[in-house]
Amino acid sequence: MTKAVFKKQNGLWTSLEVSGHSGYSTAGSDIVCAGISTAVISSVNLLDKLIEGCFDVNQNEEDGYVSIYNLDYQNIEESKKTFVDLIFQNLYDTLKDIEEQYPKNLKVKIENNK
C-alpha cells in the first residue's frame, strides 16, 4: 500500500511524504502506482519551477518514496504563495480521488500541527 501524509501548520502546507508501492499490480503495469507517481512528480516539478530553492526533495524510486520538506515560506514571494497552496491542494485532491477508487492501495491523510 502507498501512504501519502501531508502536513500543515497554521493553515500552510509544510511537507508531504509518499511511501510504499501500491501493490495493485506488478511493477511496470501498476496503474495505481503510475497515477500516484504522475501526480506527485508533476507537482514537485511545478513547485520547483515556481519556487526553486525554497524546499527540499528526497526520493528513492526503488522504495516508492518521495518527500517534500523544509518548505521555506519566508523566501517565497507573496504573489506565489497562493500558487503553492493550489499545487498542494490539487495534489491532495487528486490523491484522495485515487484513494476513493483504490482504497486497498492508497491511504491519504493530512496531519495538522498548530
Side-chain angles (χ1 to χ4, degrees):
M1 173 180 280
T2 300
K3 295 179 182 174
V5 179
F6 291 81
K7 292 187 179 179
K8 289 180 103 172
Q9 187 170 9
N10 299 321
L12 299 173
W13 302 99
T14 57
S15 68
L16 163 66
E17 184 175 53
V18 180
S19 61
H21 293 286
S22 74
Y24 180 78
S25 186
T26 59
S29 62
D30 190 326
I31 61 169
V32 176
C33 184
I36 294 166
S37 296
T38 299
V40 171
I41 297 303
S42 294
S43 297
V44 169
N45 289 342
L46 187 53
L47 284 167
D48 191 45
K49 288 179 182 181
L50 182 67
I51 58 168
E52 181 180 7
C54 292
F55 66 98
D56 294 314
V57 176
N58 186 7
Q59 68 182 50
N60 184 324
E61 188 175 326
E62 197 172 291
D63 293 335
Y65 181 85
V66 175
S67 66
I68 300 171
Y69 59 101
N70 290 337
L71 202 55
D72 183 7
Y73 279 95
Q74 291 181 11
N75 287 316
I76 298 173
E77 294 174 37
E78 197 63 38
S79 62
K80 293 183 179 182
K81 290 179 182 178
T82 299
F83 293 110
V84 171
D85 184 62
L86 287 171
I87 292 166
F88 269 95
Q89 187 65 52
N90 184 69
L91 178 57
Y92 174 78
D93 292 344
T94 299
L95 294 180
K96 287 299 282 184
D97 287 345
I98 295 171
E99 178 187 42
E100 282 183 25
Q101 294 178 13
Y102 301 95
K104 295 179 182 177
N105 307 99
L106 175 60
K107 180 66 179 163
V108 181
K109 69 177 182 174
I110 295 176
E111 293 180 354
N112 289 297
N113 299 328
K114 296 190 180 194

